[in-house]
Amino acid sequence: MKSALRSTPLLMIVPSLLLAMFIIGYPIIDLAWTSLQEVSRFGQLRGFNGWDNFAEVFSDPLFYGSLWRTVIWTVAVVGGTLLLSLPIALILNDEFYGRGLARVIIMLPWAISLTMTAVVWRWGLNGRAGLLNATLMDLHLIAEPVEWLATAPMAFATEILIGILVSIPFTTTIFLGGLSSMPQDAYEASMVDGAKRWDQLRYLTLPLMRPFINIAIVLNVIYVFNSLPIIWVMTEGGPANGTDILVTYLYKLAFRFGQLGKASAISLIMFGVLLVFTIIYVVMVMRAEDDGGAAGEASK
Amino acid sequence: MISKLKKTVIYWLLLAPLVIVILFPFAVMFVTAVRPREELFVYPPRWTFSQFRWDNFVDMWVKTNFGGALLNSLYVSVSATVLALLFSIPAAYALSRYRFPGKGLYRNFLLMTQMMSPIVLVLGLFRLMVAFGLVNNLNSLVITYAAFNMAFTIWMLQSYFNTIPRELEEAAWMDGASHYFSLVKIFLPLAVPAMVVTAIFTFINSWNEFVLALTMIRSNDDFTLPVMIFSQVAGRYQIEWHHVMAATVLATVPVAIVFSWLQRYLIRGMALGAVK
Amino acid sequence: MASVAIRGVEKRFGAAKIIRGVDLDINDHEFVVLVGPSGCGKSTLLRMIAGLETISSGTITIGDRLINDVAPQDRDIAMVFQSYALYPHMSVHDNIGFSLKLRKKSKAEIESSVMEAATILNLQDYLQRSPRQLSGGQRQRVAMGRALVRNAQVFLYDEPLSNLDAKLRVTMRTEIKALHQRLQTTSVYVTHDQIEAMTMADRIVVMNAGRVEQIGTPLELYDTPANLFVADFIGSPSMNFIPGVFERDGDKVVVVGRDGTRLPAPATTRATHSQNVVLGIRPEHLGLRSDGEGAAAVVEVVEPTGPNIEVFASLAGIRTCSILSQRHPFQPGQQIWLGAEMDQMHLFDAASGVRL
């Protein structure tokens, strides 16, 4: 009976483990394997060519352009999201009339697939008949319709703003979760000690929110770095690769240009970058758990 | 102390710009979906239009094969959700209730898989599905969605399972219930709300997925909704925007309503330890 | 009903030893209380009897059945949990009757057993409620009822009263004791509250750091604690301890306190001259003496409790507590004289803590 009990938990995790290994583990190995080989357009492996694929990637100006834009995209979207989400979470955590409705509205973009959001915005931003132009012209802010997506810098900036918009709900949710776990008695104590709302924010809320902010940064970096639909649907990386980031460039290489060796090399490079962030995340989670665990043990 | 009324006014004023930007696409969606085709491209562009054309929805349904895509999306999302839960419930139970060797390792592995997005692996996944002959087969999406959602579902379920006191099962054992019986009669009934919430989130995630569906599915008949709608926009000279928006309305509004209703559970889940 | 025999039982989690070799015989019909500070292993030991923790080494027998490898379901044991562990989705009636249903008892049989338990516990009016609708005391009773209907060989209680308020705890304490006197089921009861242990137990097992410090009836533990730990743990307020050096001066024996105060000590043959010892006197035994007798002490704080006053005074450089039944109007700083009867003093070895 003892040994049966001992193997029960292992039996319970094995199915999930196998599925994850198969769907997530295997492609990584396959990509690593492929990246070292010459590959035909149709996916046939034609033997090892050493680091040729990587060399090709690193001599490709489009790769550097995409890499650079990926950095801008990630930093701008994550930074903008955090700057907006924290005050929003603070507002939504406070009592006011219509808070329920406000929460629902702020969370709405999360409910809708990025693809649909991007499709609607592409139409809303249409240079000729877009309703954004209609609104701005009604308000006499512009005299002529603006071609929002026609030039790369303008298109990219627009895409970043939409990226921020769709990242706010998730980030706000993390912050709301954090705020709801704030120790109420500490706030009461601080009021007795004479802290004003601003002092509470500065000396209690922000320091206590630190771990949640850290997690939000890392998770958002990972999600935004990986996000394809907005740019893909709105401009497909164009015009003239001017809005390409690594994921869109990778997707084009793999499924448009059939440069599979190069694409798998880029996949692997991105995997490496992701791995670094993931390890940061895992370490952060484990540290948070150690703290929580220690507190739990002490209270026993 | 600021009065609640004053706070309400200030807060709504602060939130107003964001609320407008969030609601803008919904307005665009509705206004375009019911607009006569002739009034799509008018100069200067304007919000108003001459009459409500509800027929747009009917035309769209026929022309875009919306029904087929809807069924495909339903099939994929439901199957992926069921599969993910079947694999996740025992795993979450094991994580919540047992100590076992390799537990820490397994949890870190899950965290890693949560971070791996489909896009980075998409080429490898595609080659995998080619090898198994599953390209252009909706089941390729079922399996991959289940796998990519599993980390989230296990995480979510475990944090809820942890809130169900272990003593309840222990008490049942002392009362003479077998492990299996206490699981079925004591644990699972209490875990139902958690499982429903987790299932709905998994469903929405699958419903909204784009990259894998775009890659694995090649024929129009097998398109899921996001890919179908994208195909109405991508690489076309003439885009029937009123149809696209009508399709978007139908594909998003029901999901958005369910999600709005459930979002507080997600916040609670985060507070319970999905983030911790 | 049955006896329980625990032989050389150990519990290890990896390298950590939670239980370090416990031997304990619990007789049929006996009410044994395991008591000790938190983390001493008392709950773990109880859960090992229940079968909820595996036994790393040693044996546990119930009646004459070795139960090391018997599943909790098959041990014929009932348990009352600290959190009560009521099934939230079942009514009070179904909670109490659950174990009988599992045993495939007939409807009528379940009905009569549940009613009987409910009557004993005064729960007749609450049978259709859900646990959520009950007060803390009522939940506690339902948990008891669940154990009652079982007619199990052994009852286990894991700190069942610690979630109740102080007043209710005293009431339930008496009820549980009365119940045991009526049913006579062998019971093992875990608590960290020594008053609960003293009032309820036939025998107390004092545990510390995974070991048994002493086993005995409440009064045995109170009168002759085997070591400093037990002496300190049992009794409230706890025993006064005055460290010093044992000196034999012909017939007279004294303990010389750190500040040089010479205190009379019980004559014992087991202490040697100039041995470091600890003199222990319970507060209720450290009484007032007329001036010049006993030892001089300076009053620091006086706390009236109603029936008594507790006088905290500095004696031989140590803050001692005396419980006096007369309401003396002592002032802080006042000098008083305190002393105790020889047979009410305890002497312990300072190094090992063992009673001398």
Side-chain angles (χ1 to χ4, degrees):
Chain A
M1 176 204 117
K2 250 186 198 168
S3 62
L5 258 184
R6 212 158 280 166
S7 58
T8 311
L10 292 175
L11 283 177
M12 292 175 117
I13 63 165
V14 157
S16 59
L17 199 59
L18 286 181
L19 182 63
M21 293 272 210
F22 177 60
I23 294 295
I24 295 164
Y26 176 81
I28 297 173
I29 294 162
D30 181 69
L31 281 171
W33 180 252
T34 313
S35 70
L36 297 174
Q37 306 205 36
E38 197 190 331
V39 195
S40 78
R41 304 190 45 92
F42 306 106
Q44 271 135 348
L45 302 181
R46 293 193 177 148
F48 287 95
N49 62 355
W51 300 100
D52 280 8
N53 289 324
F54 289 92
E56 207 182 318
V57 168
F58 286 121
S59 62
D60 177 359
L62 285 177
F63 170 75
Y64 289 104
S66 307
L67 182 63
W68 175 234
R69 273 185 297 275
T70 305
V71 173
I72 297 177
W73 162 256
T74 309
V75 170
V77 172
V78 174
T81 304
L82 288 175
L83 283 180
L84 286 173
S85 297
L86 197 56
I88 291 170
L90 288 171
I91 290 177
L92 292 184
N93 196 49
D94 207 350
E95 292 277 329
F96 65 99
Y97 296 110
R99 178 171 75 161
L101 179 67
R103 278 199 184 193
V104 167
I105 294 174
I106 304 283
M107 294 299 156
L108 265 186
W110 198 358
I112 296 175
S113 80
L114 292 180
T115 323
M116 313 275 187
T117 308
V119 166
V120 177
W121 274 103
R122 179 166 156 185
W123 169 238
L125 293 169
N126 187 291
R128 210 148 60 95
L131 289 168
L132 180 64
N133 282 333
T135 313
L136 295 178
M137 282 166 77
D138 284 349
L139 297 171
H140 300 292
L141 290 172
I142 52 172
E144 295 271 300
V146 178
E147 289 279 358
W148 299 99
L149 302 175
T151 61
M154 181 92 101
F156 197 50
T158 310
E159 285 162 352
I160 285 175
L161 289 178
I162 294 172
I164 292 174
L165 192 69
V166 298
S167 307
I168 285 175
F170 170 71
T171 316
T172 306
T173 301
I174 292 187
F175 289 164
L176 281 175
L179 287 171
S180 72
S181 71
M182 296 282 123
Q184 221 41 57
D185 46 358
Y187 281 87
E188 285 164 6
S190 76
M191 274 194 261
V192 175
D193 287 344
K196 299 277 182 305
R197 282 170 69 90
W198 175 250
D199 299 319
Q200 289 183 334
L201 181 67
R202 203 172 136 203
Y203 297 111
L204 281 174
T205 311
L206 287 183
L208 287 168
M209 284 294 281
R210 191 73 227 170
F212 292 90
I213 295 172
N214 286 342
I215 296 269
I217 292 175
V218 178
L219 286 178
N220 269 310
V221 164
I222 291 168
Y223 293 154
V224 173
F225 178 81
N226 281 322
S227 180
L228 175 95
I230 294 174
I231 294 180
W232 192 255
V233 171
M234 291 180 69
T235 56
E236 294 197 19
N241 296 86
T243 58
D244 258 332
I245 59 172
L246 282 178
V247 283
T248 57
Y249 186 52
L250 161 71
Y251 201 81
K252 279 185 199 169
L253 282 179
F255 297 102
R256 278 225 178 128
F257 309 143
Q259 300 193 30
L260 298 182
K262 200 169 155 189
S264 40
I266 293 186
S267 293
L268 220 60
I269 294 166
M270 291 185 61
F271 175 74
V273 175
L274 267 183
L275 201 61
V276 171
F277 282 110
T278 306
I279 289 169
I280 295 174
Y281 174 67
V282 170
V283 168
M284 274 163 61
V285 168
M286 289 203 315
R287 195 176 297 160
E289 254 166 27
D290 282 351
D291 294 353
E297 284 305 316
S299 71
K300 254 185 187 173
Chain B
M1 277 277 148
I2 315 170
S3 80
K4 194 171 169 188
L5 195 67
K6 209 163 151 196
K7 255 193 330 201
T8 303
V9 174
I10 297 171
Y11 284 167
W12 275 107
L13 280 178
L14 287 173
L15 293 176
L18 187 68
V19 168
I20 291 169
V21 177
I22 288 173
L23 294 181
F24 173 76
F26 287 90
V28 170
M29 226 155 47
F30 286 112
V31 165
T32 312
V34 294
R35 194 180 275 253
R37 185 172 190 272
E38 318 76 79
E39 291 177 40
L40 282 176
F41 289 93
V42 286
Y43 189 89
R46 58 171 179 263
W47 282 92
T48 50
F49 49 94
S50 59
Q51 56 163 306
F52 284 91
R53 242 342 129 70
W54 297 106
D55 289 353
N56 284 351
F57 284 94
V58 181
D59 294 345
M60 176 280 294
W61 190 285
V62 177
K63 278 207 180 133
T64 62
N65 186 24
F66 189 90
L70 182 70
L71 285 181
N72 291 338
S73 269
L74 276 176
Y75 170 75
V76 168
S77 305
V78 170
S79 316
T81 303
V82 170
L83 196 63
L85 282 188
L86 276 181
F87 282 61
S88 304
I89 289 170
Y93 185 83
L95 280 178
S96 164
R97 290 293 193 263
Y98 295 103
R99 266 179 245 248
F100 54 89
K103 183 170 172 177
L105 220 59
Y106 174 69
R107 297 183 59 163
N108 288 345
F109 172 77
L110 282 181
L111 281 176
M112 302 278 247
T113 68
Q114 193 183 11
M115 296 304 109
M116 283 308 126
S117 87
I119 178 71
V120 171
L121 304 181
V122 69
L123 183 54
L125 281 167
F126 183 68
R127 290 170 51 84
L128 179 72
M129 292 306 162
V130 170
F132 280 87
L134 283 174
V135 171
N136 228 347
N137 183 330
L138 289 173
N139 289 323
S140 65
L141 298 182
V142 172
I143 301 171
T144 40
Y145 290 179
F148 277 102
N149 272 302
M150 231 165 35
F152 169 77
T153 50
I154 292 177
W155 208 236
M156 193 84 176
L157 285 173
Q158 188 213 338
S159 71
Y160 276 102
F161 287 0
N162 283 344
T163 66
I164 299 174
R166 184 193 289 260
E167 286 85 19
L168 290 179
E169 286 161 90
E170 289 178 347
W173 301 341
M174 305 301 301
D175 278 346
S178 66
H179 274 73
Y180 173 76
F181 195 84
S182 73
L183 207 63
V184 172
K185 284 280 155 158
I186 305 293
F187 184 80
L188 287 182
L190 295 171
V192 161
M195 293 191 289
V196 170
V197 171
T198 311
I200 293 176
F201 282 113
T202 312
F203 179 90
I204 293 176
N205 277 343
S206 309
W207 185 262
N208 287 342
E209 204 283 335
F210 175 63
V211 176
L212 289 172
L214 180 70
T215 311
M216 304 296 176
I217 305 301
R218 297 289 148 136
S219 81
N220 292 354
D221 291 342
D222 291 327
F223 278 167
T224 57
L225 282 172
V227 181
M228 185 277 280
I229 289 171
F230 176 69
S231 74
Q232 300 294 317
V233 177
R236 293 211 173 193
Y237 181 67
Q238 180 106 32
I239 301 171
E240 305 286 342
W241 281 110
H242 56 305
H243 286 167
V244 174
M245 291 301 128
T248 323
V249 168
L250 289 189
T252 54
V253 170
V255 179
I257 289 171
V258 175
F259 184 89
S260 305
W261 172 54
L262 281 176
Q263 44 101 6
R264 60 208 164 98
Y265 292 103
L266 202 61
I267 295 179
R268 198 190 303 163
M270 297 265 173
L272 280 176
V275 167
K276 226 170 68 179
Chain C
M1 276 162 256
S3 58
V4 179
I6 298 170
R7 295 269 177 276
V9 160
E10 297 202 334
K11 177 72 185 175
R12 291 180 291 268
F13 287 124
K17 270 195 182 179
I18 309 296
I19 304 283
R20 302 154 175 265
V22 167
D23 291 290
L24 175 61
D25 279 297
I26 298 164
N27 303 322
D28 203 359
H29 307 309
E30 200 176 19
F31 196 104
V32 167
V33 174
L34 305 180
V35 68
S38 61
C40 70
K42 56 191 189 297
S43 277
T44 309
L45 186 61
L46 189 82
R47 291 170 59 84
M48 287 160 89
I49 301 175
L52 298 172
E53 299 280 355
T54 54
I55 298 164
S56 302
S57 60
T59 61
I60 297 181
T61 18
I62 296 179
D64 42 19
R65 187 159 74 125
L66 179 71
I67 48 125
N68 277 40
D69 286 334
V70 178
Q73 293 85 349
D74 306 325
R75 290 190 184 193
D76 199 11
I77 279 174
M79 182 157 168
V80 178
F81 290 80
Q82 181 176 3
S83 61
Y84 316 141
L86 303 183
Y87 309 126
H89 54 309
M90 295 182 192
S91 67
V92 168
H93 177 280
D94 293 354
N95 261 284
I96 297 177
F98 185 63
S99 59
L100 300 176
K101 207 169 116 190
L102 286 172
R103 285 179 175 69
K104 309 253 188 305
K105 294 277 162 62
S106 74
K107 264 225 160 96
E109 225 174 322
I110 295 178
E111 209 54 40
S112 72
S113 300
V114 170
M115 277 319 289
E116 193 190 333
T119 314
I120 294 174
L121 294 164
N122 248 328
L123 283 169
Q124 303 97 313
D125 298 340
Y126 305 99
L127 285 174
Q128 294 318 314
R129 300 226 184 145
S130 85
R132 202 173 303 125
Q133 297 166 297
L134 301 180
S135 70
Q138 289 164 341
R139 287 180 202 188
Q140 217 286 325
R141 265 192 263 263
V142 177
M144 295 280 302
R146 229 166 45 177
L148 268 187
V149 292
R150 287 278 308 280
N151 261 327
Q153 297 208 48
V154 181
F155 279 177
L156 304 179
Y157 299 86
D158 190 5
E159 308 217 18
L161 303 184
S162 60
N163 284 349
L164 299 178
D165 63 55
K167 213 171 163 182
L168 205 51
R169 205 176 304 163
V170 174
T171 321
M172 285 309 296
R173 197 163 84 191
T174 317
E175 280 191 35
I176 292 177
K177 192 167 179 177
L179 205 62
H180 177 254
Q181 284 168 0
R182 177 168 162 184
L183 300 174
Q184 298 277 308
T185 311
T186 311
S187 301
V188 187
Y189 186 106
V190 161
T191 179
H192 61 268
D193 179 354
Q194 55 94 18
I195 294 183
E196 248 170 56
M198 292 292 286
T199 49
M200 300 175 80
D202 292 329
R203 277 194 305 156
I204 298 177
V205 180
V206 182
M207 291 187 68
N208 180 35
R211 280 204 188 81
V212 172
E213 294 281 353
Q214 190 174 2
I215 304 175
T217 64
L219 294 182
E220 275 168 17
L221 296 193
Y222 184 79
D223 293 339
T224 51
N227 53 44
L228 274 175
F229 181 84
V230 177
D232 188 32
F233 195 82
I234 299 288
S236 172
S238 55
M239 192 184 274
N240 297 303
F241 294 112
I242 303 162
V245 178
F246 187 82
E247 284 187 3
R248 224 177 259 283
D249 188 7
D251 281 353
K252 272 180 76 180
V253 287
V254 287
V255 170
V256 182
R258 295 233 171 98
D259 67 345
T261 311
R262 297 173 75 84
L263 301 163
T268 169
T269 51
R270 288 160 71 187
T272 53
H273 188 70
S274 78
Q275 184 178 351
N276 279 321
V277 293
V278 175
L279 182 65
I281 306 167
R282 295 208 178 272
E284 52 274 38
H285 298 148
L286 187 60
L288 200 63
R289 294 289 181 271
S290 37
D291 288 4
E293 285 176 36
V298 177
V299 174
E300 291 179 345
V301 177
V302 180
E303 293 177 354
T305 57
N308 302 310
I309 58 171
E310 292 177 7
V311 179
F312 295 88
S314 166
L315 190 150
I318 300 290
R319 174 179 281 182
T320 60
C321 173
S322 321
I323 297 181
L324 306 176
S325 53
Q326 267 192 328
R327 299 178 177 178
H328 300 280
F330 294 137
Q331 293 303 314
Q334 185 179 343
Q335 194 182 57
I336 55 173
W337 296 81
L338 297 171
E341 299 300 319
M342 284 298 168
D343 60 355
Q344 287 170 337
M345 293 188 203
H346 310 266
L347 203 58
F348 304 95
D349 177 42
S352 64
V354 173
R355 181 184 189 86
L356 294 170

